[in-house]
Amino acid sequence: MPDSGSTSSASQVYQKLVPRPVRTVAMNTVPVPVRRGLKKRLDQSLAQRESRLHQRALKRLRTTDFSNLPEGRAEAPDGRVGHVHTGLTADLARRTDLALITTVLDRAKIPWFTVPALDDRRMCLAVAREHKPAVRRVLRALLERQTGYVVSVAPGKDDTARIPGSYVKAWKHFGAARVIRITWLRTDPTGFLWLGENQGVEIEFWTTDTGPAAPRMVGPRPNRVQRVVPAGDPHTVEISHDRLTGYADPDAGAAPTRTREGFDIRRVEEVTFPVDAVVLWAHDEPWAEELLRATLRSLHQYAPWADRVHVLALAPVPLWVHADDRLRIVPAGPRAEQNLHAVPELADRFLYFRPGALLGRPVRPFDYFTALGGTRPRRGPWSAREAAAPWTGWAFSFTQRAVTHGYAPGPQPYAREILEAVAAGFGDHQPHNGGQYAPELEGTHPLDGVVHHAAHFSGHAEPSGEATIAVHAAVPGVTRWLDRLLVRRDAQQMQLCGLGSSDALAHGGTRAVLDFLRRYFPVPSPFERALPEPGSASGPESAALSGTGCDPEFEPDTGTGFVPPAWTRRGEVGSPS
């Protein structure tokens, strides 16, 4: 029997209405032309009925108010239709998609509730299976008003991914689908940033099981909490978006969504403590400004959950940096990097960005921290040169445990108590320039190596294997590597080095990196502001430090000597005091 939600053909209706024994008799007694004529008339009647229902759904949508409508349309690189939004972010696109679908479902009086899906990139809604025909009609009308695309997720059928969802043929797999995905392609006015391909909203069709004593609804696939809920109309609760996906901004101010009470529980991967970001500003040069701008934009675009950004200023901060409640400028001395735990008002857990460290795609707090507060630093390559680096000897002296791998460049997670425990071991360590003047890629940063090694062997860190892309601006063919990153956008985090090296400046590598940054991060962040008129500020330092709410001068501790704390001495494992 055909699914009730399919776009029924005459054959399907004929098989559904006429019993099999009657069809068998008709095959032997009714001429073939007569049967074909009957099916043709049924096809015409069904098409007319579907057209009337579609027009009715369109009429209902014309009087529906939607939030965050696009400002225009654009053609995607693959020829599909995209929608233009100023200030586009991945989080904004995800919220917009969900709001569109829930609005039309509510207008059509179709019950729904959100489900914490296994894939954090996509929002998921649950709808009872008996509402499939109504869901198809309202969504097809919605996709005609704002062009989007539909595919079958379970079973997987993606051959309709390029067919606009307003076309009937885009829904050819809908009848057998247990889960569908609706996607919209969205871009910013520059056309460099495209979102939606790996996002979208998935709709699961839950079936009602009347076998048990109490009727229940059963989901078509596993999720993060439960697959069975009571049927009927149980109590629903409001829930914020960040409870459904780790990529969301909990302070975005968006309206909450609704779900069943059973889904409103904390999960093992949810990070509930605040996570800050510390950005090191060390080089007062034009290319360094572009690196700083790109780092702030990557935080805004791909880590909106970061609670506060602290710019650790070893040089006068550019005028365009906008200090407010979410961004502080912290004047610092040359040894500030070795005393990050002394940064005032810094959260106990934070991500550290040296010059050139960037996020390349959406990340979650769980990608860098465990729910219990441990860090998840990124491993790096291991070689004979790395094994002979000075930091490996310091790390061994500190823990009495051999070092077996390095740590990758790029953003790294830190915990203040670990930094406090090892701060005494950096009394004679010289400030590190982040590799921007080095002639080639450097290995593990000494601070990363010692801190993460100590945390790992004290049970406070779980090194992860997520790859980091490191690119030196002076490497031959750097443009080809940057173009690959721009097209694929598959690097979770990146480290761009050597922009201040003589070879990169002389042979165009620095220029190529800066052009890449403008195309990869075209959307301005709230941490930027328009430059003031000439003469309206007394200088870059006064403009940068005004209204920051931070101490006038940050003088970190300058401990000397190397005294390992008792909790890590000789490999002992315990909790730092």
Side-chain angles (χ1 to χ4, degrees), residues 341-361:
H341 58 279
V343 174
E345 301 181 35
L346 180 64
D348 291 336
R349 304 292 184 272
F350 62 92
L351 287 179
Y352 185 46
F353 293 76
R354 296 184 181 88
L358 305 165
L359 298 172
R361 65 185 184 198

Side-chain angles (χ1 to χ4, degrees), residues 9-53:
S9 66
S11 299
Q12 291 173 333
V13 173
Y14 179 74
Q15 293 174 9
K16 184 176 181 180
L17 297 179
V18 181
R20 182 183 295 273
V22 177
R23 295 201 307 268
T24 303
V25 173
M27 288 179 60
N28 298 324
T29 58
V30 180
V32 173
V34 175
R35 296 202 306 271
R36 288 178 179 173
L38 176 61
K39 291 179 181 179
K40 184 176 181 180
R41 288 193 293 272
L42 281 174
D43 269 332
Q44 293 173 349
S45 299
L46 290 172
Q48 292 173 357
R49 175 178 177 274
E50 191 63 31
S51 178
R52 289 195 303 271
L53 293 173

Side-chain angles (χ1 to χ4, degrees), residues 138-212:
V138 298
L139 291 183
R140 183 174 164 231
L142 174 63
L143 296 179
E144 182 167 327
R145 176 170 176 176
Q146 188 172 149
T147 304
Y149 302 87
V150 57
V151 296
S152 174
V153 177
K157 302 284 186 180
D158 61 355
D159 55 322
T160 60
R162 294 178 178 270
I163 304 174
S166 58
Y167 292 12
V168 174
K169 60 183 178 181
W171 299 83
K172 64 180 182 178
H173 302 302
F174 182 75
R178 302 186 301 276
V179 184
I180 63 171
R181 182 186 307 137
I182 307 296
T183 60
W184 286 272
L185 300 182
R186 305 191 186 278
T187 185
D188 75 305
T190 67
F192 290 136
L193 177 66
W194 284 90
L195 299 174
E197 184 67 35
N198 295 319
Q199 294 188 182
V201 178
E202 295 183 346
I203 300 179
E204 299 180 350
F205 296 105
W206 288 46
T207 57
T208 302
D209 183 5
T210 58

Side-chain angles (χ1 to χ4, degrees), residues 96-399:
T96 301
D97 294 350
L98 183 64
L100 281 173
I101 293 181
T102 55
T103 298
V104 298
L105 293 180
D106 287 339
R107 188 67 189 274
K109 295 182 173 53
I110 300 174
W112 59 269
F113 58 91
T114 52
V115 175
L118 293 178
D119 192 339
D120 265 4
R121 297 175 300 173
R122 305 179 182 98
M123 305 299 282
C124 183
L125 301 178
V127 177
R129 193 176 183 86
E130 54 264 27
H131 296 297
K132 277 189 77 174
V135 168
R136 179 183 56 79
R137 294 185 190 107
V138 298
L139 291 183
R140 183 174 164 231
L142 174 63
L143 296 179
E144 182 167 327
R145 176 170 176 176
Q146 188 172 149
T147 304
Y149 302 87
V150 57
V151 296
S152 174
V153 177
K157 302 284 186 180
D158 61 355
D159 55 322
T160 60
R162 294 178 178 270
I163 304 174
S166 58
Y167 292 12
V168 174
K169 60 183 178 181
W171 299 83
K172 64 180 182 178
H173 302 302
F174 182 75
R178 302 186 301 276
V179 184
I180 63 171
R181 182 186 307 137
I182 307 296
T183 60
W184 286 272
L185 300 182
R186 305 191 186 278
T187 185
D188 75 305
T190 67
F192 290 136
L193 177 66
W194 284 90
L195 299 174
E197 184 67 35
N198 295 319
Q199 294 188 182
V201 178
E202 295 183 346
I203 300 179
E204 299 180 350
F205 296 105
W206 288 46
T207 57
T208 302
D209 183 5
T210 58
R216 59 182 187 173
M217 294 179 64
V218 182
R221 61 178 181 177
N223 57 62
R224 294 190 180 186
V225 180
Q226 57 185 359
R227 195 171 177 176
V228 178
V229 299
D233 188 22
H235 179 63
T236 60
V237 296
E238 291 188 340
I239 190 171
S240 58
H241 289 250
D242 61 293
R243 299 293 310 284
L244 298 171
T245 170
Y247 299 118
D249 179 6
D251 301 321
T257 184
R258 63 175 182 261
T259 188
R260 297 292 183 94
E261 282 186 300
F263 291 121
D264 186 21
I265 62 173
R266 290 289 177 185
R267 304 186 301 275
V268 294
E269 76 278 4
E270 284 191 77
V271 172
T272 58
F273 49 81
V275 177
D276 283 355
V278 175
V279 179
L280 181 64
W281 166 250
H283 313 301
D284 189 11
E285 299 187 47
W287 54 262
E289 285 196 34
E290 294 303 317
L291 285 179
L292 176 62
R293 192 191 309 271
T295 297
L296 295 177
R297 290 185 176 186
S298 73
L299 273 167
H300 170 61
Q301 181 70 239
Y302 299 130
W305 41 263
D307 194 52
R308 204 172 188 187
V309 179
H310 306 259
V311 177
L312 202 60
L314 277 66
V317 178
L319 284 169
W320 53 263
V321 176
H322 177 51
D324 58 7
D325 292 339
R326 284 203 63 201
L327 185 143
R328 296 176 61 249
I329 299 174
V330 185
R335 289 184 44 79
E337 189 173 17
Q338 286 76 51
N339 294 273
L340 293 174
H341 58 279
V343 174
E345 301 181 35
L346 180 64
D348 291 336
R349 304 292 184 272
F350 62 92
L351 287 179
Y352 185 46
F353 293 76
R354 296 184 181 88
L358 305 165
L359 298 172
R361 65 185 184 198
V363 295
R364 306 165 298 173
F366 187 67
D367 293 331
Y368 294 96
F369 300 93
T370 67
L372 298 178
T375 59
R376 304 180 70 191
R378 304 301 173 90
R379 288 193 180 100
W382 189 244
S383 62
R385 177 184 174 186
E386 186 80 0
W391 74 267
T392 60
W394 302 337
F396 177 77
S397 300
F398 197 79
T399 63

